[in-house]
Amino acid sequence: MTMSAGWYLRRLSRMGPREIGGRAGDTLRRRRWRTARPLVPNVTGARFTAVLPAGTVASVSPDAAKRLVAEADRLMAGHVEYFGVVRDDLADPDWWYDPKTGRRAPWGYAFGVPYRDEDVVGDVKQIWELSRHQYLTVLAAAYAVTGDERYAERVAGHLRSWWAANAPLHGVHWTSGIELGIRLLSWVWVRRLLDGWPGAAGLFEDNPVALNQIWHHQRWLAAFPSRGSSANNHAVAEAAGQFAASCAFGWFPTSARLRDDALRSLERHLRGNTFLSGLNRELATEYHGLVLELGLAALAEADLAGVAVPPSVRLVLLRMTDALAAVVDDRLRPPRQGDADDGHGLVVDGAGTDRWASLLATGEAVFGRLPWWPDVTAADVRTPLLAALVRPYEAERAARVTRPASRPGHFADAGLTVLRGPDGIWCRCDGGPHGFLSIAAHAHADALSVEVRHDGVDVLADPGTYCYHGQPLWRRYFRSTLGHNTLELDGADQSVSGGPFLWTRHARGRVLAADTSGGPDGGTSRWCAEHDGYPRSVHRRQVELTATSRELKVVDEVRGRGGAVRLAFHLGPAIAAELTGNRAELTWTRDGEERSAALDLPGQLRWHAHRGETDPPLGWYSPGFGRKEPATTLVGTGFADGAQGFTTVLRFRG
């Protein structure tokens, strides 16, 4: 996907003067660096001291260790899957090869590589993912747990191969700061987990090639931070990786300065990326997880190195953890809101480890659980490793922090509300801002959408993300208003897209009422919100969840000039639907038990079921980045004139 001149003009229009000036400086610097030959510091006598405390690895549970070793053995056999693409070449990978398209990224000066152009480079996320080296942290963790040197030797061979193939400032792996930041964090943990291996020092601190790579990564991150309208999760990843490396690999004359600069940046961007309620401002749940993982990993480096962090860093991470505990359903699944690309900050666990349970377990170990938190019983590898490094939240400081006395259901600043009913009925309502910063890069046109689950099963589902680059038709669909459980007017999205990561006009949501006091034990919870995304019209939606009748009622109104309506309800992939007129009978199975519900749809609209359609796309669910599967979508078409509302009732049966 190449960017047109129009896209650059639209992108420029979303920048302020300071950002424009900074980017102009970046452009000049990139031109100078093409021919510059920087003097790499001569490092002698470097030692790695950022090791795990004695006994830490022994505290990893047998189940978590078993999953880790099984994953490491799959990697050793050459098998891995990224974004729905299985590859069997991991024993000796080609670092520039995209197995999805069969293309190989071109060599050349990094800032001249057209990484957004799939026809030239291939799917850049497929190429980048392997070079985040998070599979190497898994192999290194397997060495730490088992002492089997095969894992360490494979890690060493792949690092030496990558360093040889990716000279500083050459190729696709030197084009994006988030990739460099996450890669540095991986290298820190690889060195830490290999500490008992005799070859560890020769691989890192006694290796001029490794020192050269680390120094150039840090020089790049210091020179080209994500700026202004792009200072989202990328900025956090850049700062966290830079900070971790300057703490653990503090062997260079500039290490102390880079560490202090990175810590200031990390503190600023953690605050900037997070609402006071603790939810991530991108309103894309997977990025909440990514930022929380990065923040906890950076905090671990600070505490291990004895670097004082501003109190706001711990406070933001505490609030993020409490917010995550508040919004998950009974199976510990958070909302499927906004973009999701399966990005992780630190990976040391095997397949089958629950990401969200792991984060909550780490939060419990670091900050302490609250009485209303959901129970976390599954064990993971990462929690004991991080908990061994992070200083416990001091009792006197914790006493000065107000944490929620009961489980929050409404996050006013984020416009996110969770209504809960009996038997795991969970409903997420969206009445918040469109997204973060002027481009809202990871937002979807999903104002007033709802997401409904029963015991963790998607009933009314958020379809997900599926892709970023290279497939513009699918990118548009999964971000569209029609691609969510909300109302589309006159065939237009509520917000105006200017490109795959750019919105030029943002719908503004406003929550009018939110009463979550009904709860699963009885009573009725209510929510009402509206947005102004349609010219001369206002879409207002009311939702009521009544615990005693296990009934969810949704009422939509279009106030103003009205127009042609499409009202969509996307069913989860496990849901079978029989549509007769304006009633859909829904059935599914959970843990071997048959479940059912009736969905009564507005009779003023004509209803049709769609599944797995491609021209145009409709009726799809993306369980993860790069993967999609058919699912039923019910679409009602008609006209809104403001005279009456459209009422939808979902009744769960016993």
Side-chain angles (χ1 to χ4, degrees):
M1 181 185 302
T2 56
M3 299 295 107
S4 66
W7 178 87
Y8 283 104
L9 289 174
R10 292 191 296 272
R11 185 66 183 85
L12 185 65
S13 73
R14 309 305 293 172
M15 302 180 193
R18 184 172 181 179
E19 180 179 357
I20 292 173
R23 288 178 180 271
D26 289 347
T27 299
L28 293 174
R29 191 174 299 110
R30 291 183 181 113
R31 290 175 179 172
R32 289 199 305 270
W33 280 26
R34 181 184 288 271
T35 56
R37 296 290 183 268
L39 182 63
V40 180
N42 183 27
V43 175
T44 58
R47 293 292 176 265
F48 184 80
T49 59
V51 298
L52 290 168
T56 298
V57 173
S59 66
V60 173
S61 79
D63 285 346
K66 182 178 179 180
R67 287 195 305 272
L68 166 66
V69 172
E71 179 71 8
D73 288 343
R74 281 192 291 272
L75 295 172
M76 290 289 288
H79 308 308
V80 71
E81 179 181 337
Y82 291 133
F83 312 134
V85 177
V86 176
R87 55 191 301 175
D88 299 309
D89 60 342
L90 203 63
D92 184 20
D94 181 339
W95 303 108
W96 296 1
Y97 175 69
D98 166 29
K100 177 181 168 183
T101 64
R103 296 187 179 94
R104 197 168 184 273
W107 173 259
Y109 182 56
F111 298 118
V113 175
Y115 66 91
R116 293 189 181 97
D117 191 339
E118 187 169 297
D119 291 337
V120 175
V121 173
D123 185 334
V124 73
K125 281 188 66 65
Q126 286 286 345
I127 299 172
W128 278 344
E129 190 66 20
L130 190 65
S131 289
R132 289 187 171 189
H133 289 169
Q134 292 175 327
Y135 78 97
L136 294 182
T137 56
V138 170
L139 290 174
Y143 165 76
V145 166
T146 65
D148 189 335
E149 294 193 0
R150 291 183 306 116
Y151 302 123
E153 289 163 357
R154 176 63 58 83
V155 171
H158 279 203
L159 282 178
R160 290 192 170 101
S161 168
W162 194 93
W163 291 333
N166 294 277
L169 298 180
H170 286 81
V172 71
H173 296 302
W174 291 88
T175 59
S176 175
I178 187 174
E179 304 305 316
L180 276 74
I182 290 177
R183 192 154 54 239
L184 276 180
L185 183 60
S186 295
W187 292 353
V188 168
W189 275 89
V190 164
R191 176 60 184 88
R192 176 173 292 133
L193 292 164
L194 293 185
D195 192 59
W197 181 54
L203 180 62
F204 279 94
E205 56 265 32
D206 294 339
N207 181 0
V209 175
L211 295 174
N212 182 59
Q213 285 277 349
I214 293 167
W215 184 83
H216 273 285
H217 272 66
Q218 293 193 278
R219 176 177 179 255
W220 195 110
L221 290 171
F224 302 111
S226 291
R227 301 179 183 276
S229 56
S230 295
N232 52 12
N233 64 85
H234 286 231
V236 176
E238 293 158 12
Q242 180 81 295
F243 180 74
S246 57
C247 286
F249 301 149
W251 306 317
F252 307 101
T254 57
S255 291
R257 176 178 59 79
L258 293 177
R259 180 197 66 206
D260 294 345
D261 289 347
L263 180 57
R264 282 191 292 270
S265 177
L266 180 68
E267 190 273 339
R268 182 173 72 256
H269 289 299
L270 278 176
R271 282 190 294 105
N273 275 253
T274 311
F275 287 112
L276 288 177
S277 65
L279 290 179
N280 184 265
R281 285 184 181 271
E282 295 201 69
L283 296 172
T285 309
E286 282 213 4
Y287 289 110
H288 183 106
L290 174 64
V291 169
L292 182 54
E293 288 170 353
L294 292 166
L296 289 169
L299 183 61
E301 298 302 330
D303 285 354
L304 181 60
V307 176
V309 299
S312 58
V313 170
R314 291 181 200 274
L315 181 58
V316 168
L317 298 175
L318 168 64
R319 287 174 172 163
M320 292 184 72
T321 307
D322 280 342
L324 177 61
V327 300
V328 294
D329 64 20
D330 286 7
R331 299 281 180 139
L332 302 184
R333 293 181 62 215
R336 282 168 55 91
Q337 183 178 17
D339 272 349
D341 71 348
D342 298 352
H344 291 258
L346 174 63
V347 181
V348 289
D349 275 281
T353 302
D354 188 312
R355 174 186 196 172
W356 308 105
S358 172
L359 275 170
L360 290 175
T362 304
E364 180 176 346
V366 171
F367 301 117
R369 63 176 285 118
L370 293 171
W372 54 262
W373 271 33
D375 291 331
V376 178
T377 57
D380 67 313
V381 175
R382 189 176 61 190
T383 289
L385 301 186
L386 286 176
L389 303 184
V390 178
R391 187 176 72 248
Y393 209 50
E394 301 95 329
E396 64 275 13
R397 182 174 295 174
R400 297 196 298 269
V401 175
T402 301
R403 298 176 71 183
S406 59
R407 192 174 200 170
H410 176 57
F411 297 81
D413 48 9
L416 186 148
T417 305
V418 175
L419 310 180
R420 296 179 186 272
D423 302 321
I425 298 174
W426 175 98
C427 174
R428 188 261 301 176
C429 305
D430 177 12
H434 175 61
F436 183 44
L437 301 174
S438 63
I439 64 172
H442 291 297
H444 290 188
D446 58 355
L448 308 196
S449 64
V450 296
E451 185 183 2
V452 181
R453 300 178 191 154
H454 184 277
D455 194 20
V457 174
D458 291 310
V459 179
L460 301 182
D462 183 303
T465 299
Y466 178 54
C467 65
Y468 280 171
H469 301 283
Q471 301 176 76
L473 182 68
W474 291 99
R475 176 65 170 154
R476 284 195 297 271
Y477 169 69
F478 277 98
R479 293 204 307 166
S480 70
T481 296
L482 184 63
H484 295 84
N485 297 317
T486 188
L487 182 145
E488 179 200 78
L489 190 63
D490 287 337
D493 287 337
Q494 309 147 338
S495 296
V496 177
S497 173
F501 297 97
L502 172 63
W503 297 91
T504 57
R505 184 174 62 78
H506 303 179
R508 293 176 297 180
R510 183 167 67 111
V511 176
L512 304 175
D515 178 6
T516 62
S517 60
D521 299 325
T524 299
S525 298
R526 297 178 175 87
W527 172 87
C528 180
E530 63 185 22
H531 75 82
D532 65 355
Y534 299 124
R536 301 187 298 282
S537 297
V538 171
H539 174 205
R540 178 175 292 186
R541 168 170 277 186
Q542 302 176 63
V543 178
E544 290 185 356
L545 176 58
T546 303
T548 51
S549 60
R550 297 156 53 88
E551 178 180 288
L552 183 81
K553 182 166 71 173
V554 180
V555 180
D556 290 291
E557 300 175 76
V558 177
R559 302 187 172 198
R561 68 176 179 86
V565 162
R566 284 198 291 182
L567 181 60
F569 290 105
H570 300 261
L571 307 182
I575 308 299
E578 289 291 336
L579 177 65
T580 304
N582 68 316
R583 165 170 278 211
E585 292 290 339
L586 312 182
T587 56
W588 66 97
T589 303
R590 179 58 153 168
D591 297 334
E593 181 181 345
E594 295 293 328
R595 310 284 179 89
S596 66
L599 183 62
D600 288 317
L601 301 157
Q604 310 98 305
L605 304 177
R606 298 181 304 278
W607 289 92
H608 297 278
H610 305 265
R611 185 177 180 87
E613 299 173 8
T614 59
D615 188 21
L618 188 58
W620 295 92
Y621 178 94
S622 174
F625 196 84
R627 293 176 288 146
K628 67 182 188 299
E629 59 186 282
T632 301
T633 296
L634 306 174
V635 179
T637 58
F639 189 83
D641 58 8
Q644 63 187 60
F646 302 106
T647 300
T648 303
V649 179
L650 175 64
R651 296 182 181 90
F652 291 95
R653 300 190 175 103

